[in-house]
């Protein structure tokens, strides 16, 4: 089935560039010029991915992200006009999957969007095992569901992919660069802080459900899966 990307930016020129680039890549698009229009469009016709500008009048992208996340796990790719780490980190912690800083190449935006869509495609190869278990954690890789005991934990596509990577190689320590490669493939310029933010999100969501030993930090090396039994461990 064709995939649809909702492009949200108050600059019509940027929307035009991105719609053209996605069209060349064979990806359908919808457009919105502000946050309120984006929420209405997403409700009317749920997209497979939202490309979302942070700095917009009336309702900025961060607020749009908050509202989308209140009822949807749709992947979100942020566009930021400022190369300020606080914007990027806040966006990730609100539930965005990735970000691109303006000025950007439309081809880079499409490449990052396609990487996210591949991870969330129903027909994409996920794992040789449909169900992964570790401690009291269960991942349904076909249904993109993560459960702690009988509680389903709502994760973004990036959070799920990170956790699946750790669970599939329980005991292995992954550096931040290795986790970036698993998410996007080699060559994507993403800061270590972005991975740290995704890890914090995962820890917070599972801690809220009673699992405080989901992921261990190995100082100076990276991260590995914890015992997933509910007790603090080595972080």
């Amino acid at each position: 089935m064709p995939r649809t990307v909702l492009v949200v930016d108050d600059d019509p020129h940027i929307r035009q560039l991105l719609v053209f680039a996605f069209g060349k890549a064979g990806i359908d698009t919808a457009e919105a010029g502000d946050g309120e229009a984006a929420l209405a469009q997403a409700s009317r016709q749920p997209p497979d991915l939202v490309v979302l500008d942070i700095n917009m009048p009336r309702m900025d992208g961060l607020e749009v992200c908050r509202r989308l996340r209140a009822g949807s796990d749709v992947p979100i790719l942020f566009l930021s006009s400022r190369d300020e780490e606080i914007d990027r980190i806040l966006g990730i912690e609100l539930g965005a999957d990735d970000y691109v800083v303006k000025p950007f190449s439309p081809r880079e935006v499409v490449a990052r969007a396609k990487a996210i869509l591949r991870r969330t495609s129903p027909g994409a190869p996920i794992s040789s095992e449909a169900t992964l278990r570790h401690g009291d954690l269960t991942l349904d890789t076909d249904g993109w569901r993560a459960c702690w005991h009988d509680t389903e934990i709502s994760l973004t596509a990036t959070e799920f992919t990170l956790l699946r990577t750790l669970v599939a190689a329980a005991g292995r320590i992954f550096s931040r660069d290795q986790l970036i490669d698993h998410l996007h493939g080699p060559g994507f310029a993403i800061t270590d802080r972005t991975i740290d933010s995704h890890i914090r999100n995962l820890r917070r969501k599972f801690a809220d459900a009673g699992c405080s030993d989901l992921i261990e930090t190995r100082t100076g090396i990276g991260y590995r899966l914890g015992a997933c039994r509910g007790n603090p461990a080595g972080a």
Side-chain angles (χ1 to χ4, degrees):
M1 292 180 62
R3 312 284 268 171
T4 300
V5 172
L6 174 58
V7 178
V8 186
D9 197 297
D10 61 309
D11 186 333
H13 177 64
I14 289 178
R15 295 202 307 273
Q16 183 180 24
L17 285 175
L18 291 177
V19 166
F20 179 75
F22 279 116
K24 285 186 64 176
I27 298 173
D28 294 340
T29 54
E31 298 180 53
D34 60 59
E36 292 178 358
L39 292 174
Q41 175 66 27
S43 176
R44 183 167 58 250
Q45 184 180 1
D48 297 294
L49 172 72
V50 179
V51 175
L52 180 60
D53 184 31
I54 289 182
N55 297 304
M56 294 186 296
R58 301 180 64 184
M59 182 188 298
D60 67 19
L62 298 176
E63 181 60 26
V64 175
C65 182
R66 287 189 187 95
R67 298 194 185 193
L68 285 173
R69 279 288 164 264
S72 171
D73 292 325
V74 61
I76 296 172
L77 170 63
F78 264 131
L79 304 177
S80 174
S81 60
R82 295 178 297 171
D83 189 12
E84 292 186 7
E85 190 171 47
I86 186 62
D87 279 350
R88 302 196 301 271
I89 298 305
L90 180 56
I92 294 297
E93 293 186 347
L94 286 174
D97 292 271
D98 201 356
Y99 65 86
V100 176
V101 176
K102 298 178 181 179
F104 54 75
S105 160
R107 293 172 63 183
E108 179 187 6
V109 176
V110 171
R112 288 179 183 258
K114 288 172 72 173
I116 296 172
L117 290 171
R118 279 196 300 271
R119 297 201 300 268
T120 59
S121 171
I126 301 295
S127 169
S128 58
E129 297 182 57
T131 303
L132 298 174
R133 293 186 175 87
H134 183 82
D136 296 314
L137 169 69
T138 303
L139 295 185
D140 172 6
T141 61
D142 287 340
W144 288 78
R145 297 174 65 249
C147 292
W148 167 252
H149 291 298
D150 296 324
T151 301
E152 182 173 353
I153 311 298
S154 178
L155 303 179
T156 68
T158 298
E159 291 164 0
F160 187 93
T161 304
L162 268 177
L163 186 56
R164 187 188 67 214
T165 298
L166 295 172
V167 174
R172 174 180 171 182
I173 300 175
F174 288 86
S175 70
R176 291 169 176 84
D177 286 342
Q178 288 171 328
L179 290 174
I180 290 170
D181 287 348
H182 275 271
L183 286 174
H184 301 285
F188 273 87
I190 298 176
T191 68
D192 291 350
R193 291 290 301 277
T194 301
I195 292 296
D196 293 344
S197 292
H198 287 307
I199 295 293
R200 279 198 300 272
N201 284 351
L202 283 165
R203 284 173 166 162
R204 172 179 50 79
K205 289 180 177 182
F206 277 86
D208 288 346
C211 176
S212 52
D213 58 347
L214 180 72
I215 297 170
E216 298 179 8
T217 299
R218 286 294 176 256
T219 304
I221 305 174
Y223 297 105
R224 75 175 178 185
L225 193 67
C228 299
R229 291 294 186 186
N231 298 314

